[in-house]
Amino acid sequence: MKLLQAPAKAPAAAGPVPRPGLRSRLRYGAVLTALTAALAAAVIAGLGLGSVRIPPGQVIEALLPGAEPSPFRTIVVDVRLPRVLLGVLVGSGLAVVGTVLQALVRNRLADPFLLGISSGASTGAVVVLTLGIGATTAVAMPVGAFAGALGAMILVYGLARRGGSMTGTRLVLAGVTVSYILTALTTLVLVASARPEHFREALYWSLGGLGSARWDVLWVPGAVLAVSLPLLFALARPLDLLLVGEEGATVLGLDVSRFRAAAFVLVSLVTAVLVSASGAVGFIGLMVPHAARLLVGATHRALLPVAALGGAVALVVADLAARTVASPQDIPVGVLTALIGGPLFLWLMRSRTAQGAAL
């Protein structure tokens, strides 16, 4: 764990980000309060809206301890609450991982989906599924997904650095290439297995969705995020040091190579667990960090909590739209996030190119 700790403090003048004043702290508190209120409203809406509409008052009553058994309570507690909580976990986790990745590679177009980590996690999970291991334990799927995610990240990072220094263009192209290769490998594994249920499971992962959320599967992503999110938040100062460049971060006491390696392992673990629970939900880890920076700036101590709350709100709202916009048809939430995030990504890439910024 020493690799994930911040380096010894440098003189205040050498730090990359100035200390916020009273007005900035008040504004930051207002942003956190607003996002918390938005998340609470999104959760209540997610529990109340659907094929059966339940008034907010009855939703809150159903959540109270000792509430009398009723059809509304069954719908809220047993059906919708696990799905909404999984949306909170996956949304916050992907947003934080995307924020950390963008700082690690110094490229704001990076996220687990574009860098091939999600595809690697899906491949690992499908391999475990076809071998029959995942049928007996809820841990086997995340372990297989982690192995695939870590392997994909190592491959993408290695390809991006071959032949010279790593650039944003190299990173994105390497990520897209590895994603295509892993998608083909996943298809090959499924064809070789020749079992229809494997195709259905693979389609679920490729599209992304929260429909399989149950209380007995929430504990794995919940436990992993309970441990990993504080660790990722603790990386705020090293991530700020990376903003000044590798040479500057080294001068300020950060072992950049070892820190990146350890951080890559951690974000691969988080991504793998989330993908094994929800499938490959794209663009949350790309767009939410950008929106968070518009609200609170680039300092990671302030940015990471805002990204976590924003990601939770975004995915809960997106899932609510996915299961109500074409009700009773349940659209995979990954399809909706791709329809929204894809054009936003193209706009962002075009604007950065117009400003003369590297991809």
Side-chain angles (χ1 to χ4, degrees), residues 245-308:
E246 293 190 15
E247 292 184 3
T250 302
V251 170
L252 292 172
L254 180 67
D255 188 335
V256 175
S257 297
R258 297 181 68 188
F259 170 72
R260 272 183 171 158
F264 278 142
V265 171
L266 182 56
V267 298
S268 296
L269 170 63
V270 176
T271 302
V273 172
L274 297 179
V275 169
S276 69
S278 68
V281 178
F283 293 100
I284 293 292
L286 173 66
M287 303 311 303
V288 171
H290 285 277
R293 287 189 192 94
L294 294 176
L295 293 174
V296 298
T299 307
H300 286 88
R301 182 177 179 182
L303 180 61
L304 289 172
V306 170

Side-chain angles (χ1 to χ4, degrees), residues 17-342:
V17 182
R19 191 168 182 171
L22 177 60
R23 181 177 298 180
S24 297
R25 291 197 296 270
L26 290 175
R27 184 172 181 271
Y28 181 63
V31 170
L32 287 180
T33 302
L35 284 174
T36 302
L39 179 58
V43 168
I44 295 298
L47 295 176
L49 298 179
S51 57
V52 176
R53 294 184 175 241
I54 304 174
Q58 292 185 336
V59 169
I60 296 175
E61 182 179 347
L63 294 175
L64 295 177
E68 293 293 331
S70 67
F72 282 168
R73 177 175 170 81
T74 300
I75 293 173
V76 170
V77 176
D78 296 335
V79 178
R80 293 180 181 172
L81 186 56
R83 180 167 182 158
V84 170
L85 290 179
L86 183 60
V88 171
L89 293 174
V90 174
S92 59
L94 288 178
V96 170
V97 165
T99 305
V100 172
L101 276 175
Q102 289 170 12
L104 286 175
V105 301
R106 300 186 65 205
N107 187 311
R108 293 186 179 181
L109 299 184
D111 87 327
F113 191 79
L114 291 175
L115 294 185
I117 303 178
S118 294
S119 297
S122 296
T123 301
V126 167
V127 169
V128 170
L129 174 68
T130 56
L131 293 177
I133 303 174
T136 57
T137 173
V139 179
M141 299 295 285
V143 170
F146 171 65
L150 183 59
M153 173 47 85
I154 293 172
L155 183 57
V156 169
Y157 190 69
L159 290 174
R161 290 191 65 90
R162 285 184 64 87
S165 60
M166 182 179 65
T167 65
T169 302
R170 284 176 177 268
L171 193 69
V172 172
L173 290 177
V176 171
T177 302
V178 170
S179 293
Y180 275 118
I181 293 173
L182 291 174
T183 300
L185 179 61
T186 302
T187 304
L188 179 61
V189 171
L190 290 170
V191 170
S193 69
R195 296 182 62 178
E197 63 270 20
H198 292 166
F199 283 96
R200 289 193 295 269
E201 294 284 349
L203 182 62
Y204 165 77
W205 274 303
S206 65
L207 298 178
L210 307 178
S212 65
R214 303 186 310 274
W215 284 111
D216 60 338
V217 301
L218 279 179
W219 70 270
V220 175
V224 170
L225 286 182
V227 175
S228 60
L229 283 187
L231 289 175
L232 290 171
F233 288 171
L235 303 184
R237 178 169 171 76
L239 293 174
D240 284 343
L241 294 180
L242 286 178
L243 296 180
V244 303
E246 293 190 15
E247 292 184 3
T250 302
V251 170
L252 292 172
L254 180 67
D255 188 335
V256 175
S257 297
R258 297 181 68 188
F259 170 72
R260 272 183 171 158
F264 278 142
V265 171
L266 182 56
V267 298
S268 296
L269 170 63
V270 176
T271 302
V273 172
L274 297 179
V275 169
S276 69
S278 68
V281 178
F283 293 100
I284 293 292
L286 173 66
M287 303 311 303
V288 171
H290 285 277
R293 287 189 192 94
L294 294 176
L295 293 174
V296 298
T299 307
H300 286 88
R301 182 177 179 182
L303 180 61
L304 289 172
V306 170
L309 285 171
V313 173
L315 192 54
V316 170
V317 171
D319 183 61
L320 175 61
R323 59 187 172 87
T324 57
V325 69
S327 181
Q329 185 68 32
D330 192 346
I331 301 173
V333 69
V335 173
L336 192 60
T337 58
L339 287 174
I340 298 173

